[in-house]
Amino acid sequence: MTAENKRPLAVFDLDNTLADTAHRQRFLEQKPRDWDGFFGAAPQDPPLAEGIALALESAEECEVVYLTGRPERCRRDTLAWLAAQGLPEGRVLMRRNDDRRPARRTKLEKLKQLARDRDIRVLVDDDELVCDDAERAGFRVVRARWTSPSTALEAAQEGEGRT
């Protein structure tokens, strides 16, 4: 195992942790929800200074992994956005395009998989249910509370398994 592989992991969510989704919430507030519009607007997300700073700081001692509820079809835009923000390179774990399970289930599953081989120093996420479940499973959590909560996004994360 190389020295890089021995570094602990710092796991970061994207939406409302590193990326400000406020400008695209309108797509989730209509019925039916416009998922193509919501994800299509993601490349224009402004960065969240608190999250970006924490990711850069974490990269000094940890390997950064991005764990998002975004579907795999958003990979190209997501990678371009991360690079444009000057964020550390790292694995980007996304949900399958057809995976509609709640974010708290999909993310906890991925965390447990990562923890089999590596120490997870921290999970940084804005989803309170994800954070609660991760803490109960023994992970150290930083709750990204630097944006205003969105009830539409919360419903999408939990009830529709879309982000």
Side-chain angles (χ1 to χ4, degrees):
M1 187 179 272
T2 67
E4 178 68 21
N5 290 339
K6 292 180 184 176
R7 295 173 76 198
L9 301 178
V11 181
F12 282 81
D13 173 47
L14 295 179
D15 293 336
N16 287 338
T17 298
L18 298 174
D20 187 348
T21 66
H23 72 102
R24 54 188 170 111
Q25 294 302 314
R26 67 184 188 279
F27 295 109
L28 300 182
E29 293 165 356
Q30 59 194 36
K31 297 287 183 187
R33 289 185 170 98
D34 180 0
W35 291 105
D36 289 337
F38 180 75
F39 290 121
Q44 286 76 48
D45 287 354
L48 291 166
E50 298 91 334
I52 301 292
L54 189 54
L56 293 171
E57 179 184 318
S58 296
E60 293 174 14
E61 294 183 13
C62 299
E63 176 186 336
V64 174
V65 174
Y66 303 98
L67 176 58
T68 180
R70 292 180 186 184
E72 188 63 43
R73 71 179 182 273
C74 299
R75 181 170 291 277
R76 181 179 301 145
D77 286 344
T78 299
L79 293 174
W81 187 90
L82 290 167
Q85 308 316 311
L87 284 158
E89 288 188 21
R91 287 180 280 173
V92 178
L93 306 177
M94 305 179 90
R95 73 168 66 234
R96 292 184 328 268
N97 289 329
D98 63 348
D99 187 347
R100 300 287 188 267
R101 295 175 296 153
R104 63 196 246 192
R105 286 190 51 213
T106 60
K107 287 186 175 182
L108 192 60
E109 181 180 285
K110 291 287 187 188
L111 282 172
K112 288 178 177 178
Q113 287 173 358
L114 290 169
R116 286 185 200 138
D117 301 323
R118 302 282 287 284
D119 175 48
I120 297 179
R121 171 95 35 103
V122 66
L123 166 68
V124 184
D125 202 302
D126 70 304
D127 185 324
E128 293 292 335
L129 296 173
V130 169
C131 292
D132 290 345
D133 285 359
E135 284 178 336
R136 277 194 288 274
F139 295 101
R140 180 177 170 263
V141 171
V142 171
R143 293 171 189 260
R145 291 180 173 152
W146 36 82
T147 60
S148 299
S150 163
T151 56
L153 184 59
E154 184 178 316
Q157 289 171 322
E158 184 59 21
E160 297 180 35
R162 294 286 191 134
T163 184

